[in-house]
Amino acid sequence: SIDYNRIIGVLISQSRFDLAERYYDTMKPKGFSLNSFTYSRYISGLCKFKDFANIQKLLEDMDRLGVVPDTWACNIYLYLLCSENLVDMALEVLQLMAEKGREPDMVSYTIVISGLCKARRLDAAVRMWQIMLGKGIVPDDRACRALVLGLCDGGKVDLAYELTLGVMKGRVKFSTSIYNVLIGGFCCAGRIDKAQAIKTFMRRNGCKPDLVTYNVLLNYCCNELILEEAEKLMEKMERGG
RNA sequence: AUUCGUGCUCACGCG
């Protein structure tokens, strides 16, 4: 018999979705189906072309067959939905993942949290963050950044600070970039003193300010014409952190 | 195997 998984898999890897679809459509009435690996690759590939109609079709077929896409495929789809401002659909997919035994992982949550923030639904984003923590997931750098950046962009700098440095201080080792985002957030809010305080704080916690740290601060000082402060920063930077 | 498929910070530059 014909190995449709292999044939369609090769076509997908070559981005020949036109042919893949033709094989798929002739295969289906004959009672053949694909495995989760191939379906997952298929969906991932279609995401690149934002082919919502065909993604939907495949998901429905999979549902009938009791096949579930792997976490990567789900995450790629989640990312597509969020970047197309279809956060509510993303939330549904997240829900379905859990129901079908594909527990959302840290990447899934990061994508959705970031999507909710972009949609200005900060409360929902924070709730999602708490749900993630409740599942015992220890957020990595990127997960933290997604939340902190999202909240800062939405003007909720203090909340961003609270939820990260405030609660998890001592339990999690934060990276320089988390501090950088917070420093940027406080600068945006016009609170340079607080931004400077975080810079001091990070050093005490073993994180050297890096080029980005200084860029953020310098940028703010220059835009606001606080040139004496900018000069001090330049000196400190040259002294090596 | 179809093996290379998913999320993140400033400025600059590129589009």
Side-chain angles (χ1 to χ4, degrees):
Chain A
S1 80
I2 309 174
D3 186 353
Y4 281 105
N5 282 303
R6 188 171 168 78
I7 295 171
I8 291 180
V10 169
L11 292 172
I12 293 162
S13 75
Q14 305 300 319
S15 288
R16 292 302 307 265
F17 293 99
D18 49 337
L19 286 175
E21 189 177 357
R22 205 179 314 164
Y23 271 99
Y24 185 75
D25 287 340
T26 53
M27 170 198 91
K28 222 171 21 171
K30 293 184 196 164
F32 290 103
S33 59
L34 302 175
N35 58 29
S36 174
F37 182 85
T38 306
Y39 265 121
S40 297
R41 290 304 202 135
Y42 203 166
I43 289 175
S44 306
L46 290 173
C47 282
K48 243 183 295 207
F49 297 91
K50 307 183 182 184
D51 188 347
F52 289 104
N54 274 315
I55 293 169
Q56 200 56 49
K57 184 178 90 175
L58 292 183
L59 287 174
E60 281 163 18
D61 290 347
M62 291 179 84
D63 209 34
R64 268 195 299 277
L65 295 162
V67 183
V68 185
D70 65 24
T71 307
W72 276 59
C74 293
N75 288 347
I76 291 169
Y77 186 40
L78 284 174
Y79 182 72
L80 173 65
L81 291 172
C82 287
S83 56
E84 297 291 312
N85 296 317
L86 298 167
V87 196
D88 284 310
M89 272 183 81
L91 291 174
E92 277 171 37
V93 171
L94 200 72
Q95 178 76 30
L96 283 173
M97 282 175 75
E99 282 171 17
K100 298 186 175 177
R102 283 278 186 262
E103 272 303 317
D105 66 3
M106 182 159 48
V107 175
S108 322
Y109 284 111
T110 304
I111 293 167
V112 172
I113 286 169
S114 163
L116 285 167
C117 288
K118 260 181 263 165
R120 299 271 106 131
R121 290 158 64 175
L122 302 184
D123 292 344
V126 171
R127 272 199 301 279
M128 197 56 76
W129 173 260
Q130 309 288 14
I131 289 172
M132 181 183 76
L133 297 181
K135 303 247 171 178
I137 294 175
V138 180
D140 69 354
D141 242 55
R142 294 162 150 187
C144 285
R145 249 192 326 253
L147 178 80
V148 172
L149 187 66
L151 291 181
C152 286
D153 282 348
K156 301 260 182 199
V157 200
D158 290 299
L159 184 56
Y161 179 90
E162 263 317 301
L163 291 177
T164 51
L165 295 201
V167 226
M168 309 174 81
K169 185 162 50 180
R171 286 192 291 140
V172 180
K173 163 98 170 81
F174 291 104
S175 76
T176 299
S177 67
I178 297 298
Y179 294 107
N180 288 345
V181 177
L182 282 168
I183 288 172
F186 280 110
C187 282
C188 266
R191 294 159 65 183
I192 180 76
D193 43 329
K194 185 74 182 168
Q196 296 269 31
I198 293 175
K199 176 162 156 291
T200 307
F201 178 80
M202 69 191 278
R203 200 193 298 277
R204 274 208 306 273
N205 284 273
C207 263
K208 264 182 70 174
D210 62 6
L211 189 61
V212 174
T213 316
Y214 281 104
N215 271 341
V216 171
L217 286 165
L218 281 169
N219 212 30
Y220 173 78
C221 290
C222 289
N223 286 337
E224 297 296 316
L225 297 175
I226 315 172
L227 300 179
E228 327 76 53
E229 190 53 46
E231 241 175 299
K232 280 189 216 158
L233 284 166
M234 288 296 289
E235 284 164 23
K236 283 186 197 164
M237 187 164 63
E238 278 163 24
R239 280 204 301 272

